Amino acid sequence: MAGVFRRLYDWLLRTFWATEMDVTMVGLQNAGKTSLLRVLSGAEFEIDTIPTVGFNMKKVQKGHVTLKCWDLGGQPRFRQMWERYCRGVNAIVFIVDIADMALLPMAKEELHILMDNQTLSGIPLLVLGNKSDLPDKLTVDELIDVMDLKSISGREVSCYGISAREETNLDAVLHWLVKYANR
């Protein structure tokens, strides 16, 4: 009987108190943005994900919150549009491949260029170190240092290690995002 009440309660929340939030996911190519969004939306992880050309949008339901997630291409030609898609969102998610040491300096540079935009002032930032299931990867503390996250001010900044493939830490990511649904 408790299951019936829980479903009714969830339906009432979605129907009368539903909240929709906009989230933009950015990061360099092959960081795992599309794979993460695919897994968050309930689909299976695919090893051979095709790189995003331009952008994708998916909705992810978490309780009474619907996350409208924009997944932007990470190739150099798409990076100039990141700022436009980050304006006015509830949260920005920057995804980093923590096993690709060669691309970390570029990821840091692109993150700081994006965060320096006055139009994005105050928007919470979640940095995700993806591919934590691989060997020879950074820890979260190392990622915070390498990306110089402590120098980013004027907004909430958080950092988690995740694995889209293994679905590691995805509940923490969703809880963090839902926290900013009503900002």
Side-chain angles (χ1 to χ4, degrees), residues 102-118:
L103 285 180
L104 289 170
M106 174 79 59
K108 173 187 172 184
E109 180 180 344
E110 292 295 341
L111 173 65
H112 285 269
I113 289 170
L114 184 65
M115 292 298 101
D116 286 344
N117 283 291
Q118 291 303 310

Side-chain angles (χ1 to χ4, degrees), residues 91-155:
I92 298 168
V93 178
F94 193 91
I95 302 168
V96 180
D97 178 346
I98 56 174
D100 190 343
M101 302 303 163
L103 285 180
L104 289 170
M106 174 79 59
K108 173 187 172 184
E109 180 180 344
E110 292 295 341
L111 173 65
H112 285 269
I113 289 170
L114 184 65
M115 292 298 101
D116 286 344
N117 283 291
Q118 291 303 310
T119 56
L120 307 180
S121 180
I123 298 174
L125 170 67
L126 177 59
V127 177
L128 298 177
N130 190 27
K131 305 184 185 180
S132 65
D133 56 305
L134 297 178
D136 300 323
K137 81 288 189 185
L138 294 179
T139 66
V140 171
D141 288 338
E142 291 168 334
L143 181 60
I144 289 168
D145 289 340
V146 167
M147 297 295 288
D148 195 19
L149 297 183
K150 292 179 181 172
S151 74
I152 298 173
S153 60
R155 72 184 75 239

Side-chain angles (χ1 to χ4, degrees), residues 5-158:
F5 288 114
R6 182 69 193 171
R7 284 194 300 272
L8 177 61
Y9 174 74
D10 288 343
W11 177 81
L12 286 169
L13 277 176
R14 283 193 307 274
T15 305
F16 297 105
W17 296 282
T19 301
E20 185 169 282
M21 74 178 288
D22 289 308
V23 175
T24 300
M25 296 183 166
V26 293
L28 302 184
Q29 65 275 16
N30 300 316
K33 300 174 296 295
T34 302
S35 295
L36 174 61
L37 186 53
R38 185 175 169 72
V39 171
L40 286 176
S41 66
E44 292 289 315
F45 176 85
E46 288 183 8
I47 194 78
D48 294 322
T49 301
I50 298 168
T52 302
V53 176
F55 63 89
N56 292 318
M57 192 280 288
K58 279 194 188 292
K59 290 189 177 187
V60 176
Q61 188 73 38
K62 175 69 175 167
H64 67 284
V65 177
T66 301
L67 305 169
K68 189 164 76 174
C69 300
W70 296 92
D71 162 23
L72 303 183
Q75 299 87 345
R77 70 178 185 259
F78 298 121
R79 294 177 196 161
Q80 74 266 3
M81 68 182 208
W82 288 358
E83 183 271 338
R84 189 173 349 141
Y85 281 91
C86 288
R87 283 185 219 151
V89 298
N90 298 84
I92 298 168
V93 178
F94 193 91
I95 302 168
V96 180
D97 178 346
I98 56 174
D100 190 343
M101 302 303 163
L103 285 180
L104 289 170
M106 174 79 59
K108 173 187 172 184
E109 180 180 344
E110 292 295 341
L111 173 65
H112 285 269
I113 289 170
L114 184 65
M115 292 298 101
D116 286 344
N117 283 291
Q118 291 303 310
T119 56
L120 307 180
S121 180
I123 298 174
L125 170 67
L126 177 59
V127 177
L128 298 177
N130 190 27
K131 305 184 185 180
S132 65
D133 56 305
L134 297 178
D136 300 323
K137 81 288 189 185
L138 294 179
T139 66
V140 171
D141 288 338
E142 291 168 334
L143 181 60
I144 289 168
D145 289 340
V146 167
M147 297 295 288
D148 195 19
L149 297 183
K150 292 179 181 172
S151 74
I152 298 173
S153 60
R155 72 184 75 239
E156 172 76 23
V157 179
S158 295

